[in-house]
Amino acid sequence: MEELRGGYKVLFWVALGLCGVDLLCMASTWLPGGHSAPEWLVTGLFLSVFPALAVAIVCGLVSGAATQLMGSRNAGQLGSYVRLLPYALKLAYAGVICLVALGFATGAGTAEDAEADASGYYYTYWDKTADPQQSVRVELTEPEYYEALKADLRISSATSAVLHAAGSFLVLASASATAGRARTAPELP
């Protein structure tokens, strides 16, 4: 990882750090009781994906890493690049993938757009079997309401974690492509 220098190093660690915070927020939803991570933090992390991923994509396009790893003639380049990563980084990315998969698996069944008002806890859905279609309100108990909120936060955190991890990987690939291009550049007289 000696190719990580300057801005690439900063971008890589910021994206990987945000991924770590996302995973901590996701893990907090498995704790008993109400959700531990504040909703504003999960929302802020989700919104931070857009600039982080945009910068990573620009780095990938400018450095040529995107075409080098994803081009149609370069099948297998991505796999060989992953094999060249340091063991700790492979383990970190594998851990992110496993935790995100677990987050999606445990959050998908109970994630509803739960709401609360003066009359209680509920979620609504469109009953497409009724003629005409209508909105149906399903009452929830307080524990069901908090489980639905936690599942929703878990899925949001898992989504932003995987996108931050992808951004850090793309920045690392961009730094490698730039370093490889600098080593093979002809010397000027």
Side-chain angles (χ1 to χ4, degrees):
M1 291 193 8
E2 61 274 352
E3 62 269 3
L4 278 176
R5 293 189 185 107
Y8 286 119
K9 189 174 193 173
V10 171
L11 291 171
F12 173 77
W13 287 113
V14 164
L16 206 57
L18 289 172
C19 176
V21 174
D22 280 323
L23 291 176
L24 288 174
C25 288
M26 184 182 70
S28 76
T29 64
W30 284 311
L31 297 174
H35 53 83
S36 299
E39 290 181 46
W40 62 265
L41 179 61
V42 174
T43 303
L45 288 168
F46 187 77
L47 292 175
S48 73
V49 164
F50 298 108
L53 203 53
V55 169
I57 289 171
V58 168
C59 287
L61 293 174
V62 169
S63 69
T67 57
Q68 191 177 35
L69 293 176
M70 304 295 181
S72 59
R73 296 179 301 195
N74 297 331
Q77 286 287 84
L78 183 62
S80 63
Y81 181 73
V82 169
R83 284 190 296 274
L84 292 174
L85 289 175
Y87 181 73
L89 204 51
K90 285 183 206 176
L91 194 59
Y93 282 130
V96 167
I97 290 169
C98 290
L99 286 172
V100 164
L102 185 63
F104 282 132
T106 60
T110 56
E112 291 119 4
D113 291 329
E115 297 180 37
D117 61 14
S119 64
Y121 305 106
Y122 66 95
Y123 74 92
T124 58
Y125 71 94
W126 282 99
D127 184 6
K128 296 182 181 182
T129 60
D131 189 33
Q133 290 183 7
Q134 59 188 2
S135 177
V136 176
R137 179 178 168 138
V138 178
E139 298 295 325
L140 297 172
T141 64
E142 188 174 0
E144 289 173 334
Y145 170 74
Y146 285 115
E147 279 304 311
L149 279 181
K150 287 167 51 171
D152 189 39
L153 290 174
R154 188 176 308 134
I155 288 176
S156 295
S157 295
T159 302
S160 58
V162 76
L163 292 174
H164 278 124
S168 72
F169 180 78
L170 188 55
V171 167
L172 183 60
S174 301
S176 295
T178 302
R181 200 171 54 212
R183 279 181 274 186
T184 59
E187 293 184 27
L188 296 173

